[in-house]
Amino acid sequence: MRVRGRARRGSAPAVAVLLLTAALAGCDDGPADPQSSKSRSLDWKRCDAPEGGTAPGSGWRCATLDVPLDYARPDGETIGIALIRKAATRKSERLGSMLFNFGGPGGSGVDILPRAAASYRELNTRYDLVGFDPRGVAASAGVRCRGDEEQETAYREVDMTPDTAAEETAFVADGTDFGAGCERLSPAVLPHVGTTNAARDMDAIRRALGDRKLSYFGISYGTELGGTYAHLFPETVGRVVLDAVVDPTADSVGHARNQATGFQRALDNYLRDRGQDPAAGTRRIADLLERIDKEPLPTTSGRELNESLAVTGIVTPLYSRSDWPTLTAALDEAENSGRGDRLLQLADSYNGRDANGHYDTRNHSQRAISCADAKARPTVAEARALLPEFRELSPVFGPFLAWDTAGWCAGWPVEGEHDTPEASAPGAAPILVIGTTGDPATPYEGARRMADELGEGVGVMLTNKGEGHGSYGESACVTSLVDAYFLEGKVPADGRTCS
């Protein structure tokens, strides 16, 4: 249930919005960087199909940029960062390149950007749209930790909310086994996949593209990556938008606490929308999960829906209000028909499982990156001690998230870098930070904290009163403001609200 970004479904129509603006100092992308010896070294070619996907259209080109595997040894071994680009459609008015990260961590920009590009058509008029696979993800030396059969067994047999000593032992053993698999199958890259190195890669990409300043659109985990970049390279921050913001002040337990709050808030809003009392509806769903824990539900595939998969299935449609009817149908099937087909399908989608039983490696990369970042390694006893608080926060999601603090990086073979990421960026150009009040995965409060951490005059807060994980393309107001910021350099007044 860790934070995972989603590709936007499509842009809402732009509307005329009165902007209170300020000059965007230092945000002109300008001509190619004369100091970049690599500005013409990228060999752009027609793109092959990504693993499990289809090749993008003829307007897309792909390349690979070699960067140091270990930035402490810049002349040592290198790693290839996979890139994809769609050229600006109005070349005479081109502003430069715009780099995207859609979240995860573990999302493949090479795969997602072509599928999401229609949402960014207006931005593409003056920017080259550029996606990349961060190190440890997909085509950029993607981390692999276990095979499909091992993954299927874990989802089937490991109880993510253990109730007995035996279940606790199996739970922790699975986490340790997962990390050992990463070390066995991806030994060279595993110590170097943290967010700080990915931010350094972003600056190498900027130089290779020939841009003086970085224009960047980060969503979900991509906001943490953007904040890290701004801290490391404030002088090259151009026009940067952070949407669906990860709280930079939260450690691993804090993130779990935030998500318990956020998912429960989204569930409450969903229940109200259906004309149900949130407290009674939550209790009903919690009771359903208790029954499934004792007796998993059958499906037509022959696989069973256990409690852990059911929780994941309930989480998935909370990411977008447009998916709430899907949740209604899935819960109705489970509660009234005693079947788990719809919830299992939703869980499979979240877990990256296709109809043939093949799992993608997003979860592998997500875990490797987040464990490389976070120092904390909570114990089973510490997770157990969190249960009363987390059950109070969310009877449905709290137990899962409390236990997750101990299982996620259990026995991890690589030491984490920090307790919380650093996002202060004194001297950087204004960065637009967008928080959605009903965001389930990255609750609204984290956006305010990110704006504060970036610093006075840097973090510009925009509130979107709405539901779902991310606002661009979902809110016409937000989309209009972001387009004006990127295309015209108009900075909304700090504290602006879209409703």
Side-chain angles (χ1 to χ4, degrees), residues 10 31 53 132 138 147 160 179 192 196 218 245 247 261 276 280 289 291 328 347 379 388 448 456 463 468 477 491:
F132 71 110
M160 303 302 289
H192 306 290
T196 297
V245 183
D247 181 355
T261 300
Q276 300 176 36
L289 292 172
R291 295 196 301 273
T328 299
T379 65
R448 179 70 269 170
E456 186 176 357
T463 296
C477 172
V491 184

Side-chain angles (χ1 to χ4, degrees), residues 97 118 121 126 131 143 146 192 234 241 266 314-315 323 335 342-343 354 378 391 398 402 405 413 463 467 493:
S97 307
R121 187 180 292 111
R126 303 188 68 189
V143 172
R146 56 174 41 157
H192 306 290
V241 167
I314 294 168
V315 159
D323 289 336
E335 292 177 304
R342 292 176 185 269
L343 283 175
D354 66 21
R391 286 195 181 103
T405 62
T463 296
E467 303 296 330

Side-chain angles (χ1 to χ4, degrees), residues 456-492:
E456 186 176 357
V458 179
V460 177
M461 181 69 189
L462 173 61
T463 296
N464 174 46
K465 289 187 175 180
E467 303 296 330
H469 188 48
S471 58
Y472 186 87
E474 302 292 332
S475 162
C477 172
V478 169
T479 302
S480 180
L481 290 169
V482 169
D483 287 349
Y485 169 75
F486 272 130
L487 297 173
E488 303 170 40
K490 295 181 178 179
V491 184

Side-chain angles (χ1 to χ4, degrees), residues 318-338:
L318 290 177
Y319 275 82
S320 173
R321 184 173 190 143
S322 64
D323 289 336
W324 286 2
T326 303
L327 177 57
T328 299
L331 289 173
D332 178 70
E333 180 187 57
E335 292 177 304
N336 299 318
S337 300

Side-chain angles (χ1 to χ4, degrees), residues 172-238:
V172 175
D174 179 69
T176 301
D177 178 74
F178 192 94
C182 299
E183 187 175 36
R184 183 176 67 255
L185 298 175
S186 303
V189 72
L190 197 64
H192 306 290
V193 296
T195 298
T196 297
N197 282 332
R200 293 186 177 114
D201 293 342
M202 282 171 53
D203 201 58
I205 293 169
R206 176 193 64 80
R207 296 193 307 271
L209 293 169
D211 292 325
R212 291 184 183 275
K213 302 281 186 177
L214 178 77
S215 292
Y216 174 73
F217 203 136
I219 302 166
S220 194
Y221 162 77
T223 66
E224 180 178 333
L225 180 56
T228 300
Y229 180 90
H231 173 68
L232 292 174
F233 305 103
E235 70 284 354
T236 56
V237 168

Side-chain angles (χ1 to χ4, degrees), residues 95-158:
L95 291 172
S97 307
M98 182 180 296
L99 197 62
F100 288 80
N101 183 281
F102 294 94
S108 166
V110 171
D111 177 39
I112 296 173
L113 182 57
R115 295 190 283 113
S119 297
Y120 306 102
R121 187 180 292 111
E122 187 66 21
L123 299 178
N124 192 206
T125 60
R126 303 188 68 189
Y127 287 94
D128 298 344
L129 305 184
V130 180
F132 71 110
D133 290 353
R135 56 174 57 213
V137 176
S140 297
V143 172
R144 292 181 179 271
C145 303
R146 56 174 41 157
D148 291 337
E149 186 174 342
E150 293 173 286
Q151 196 83 328
E152 183 72 26
T153 299
Y155 282 128
R156 182 178 66 247
E157 297 183 359
V158 178

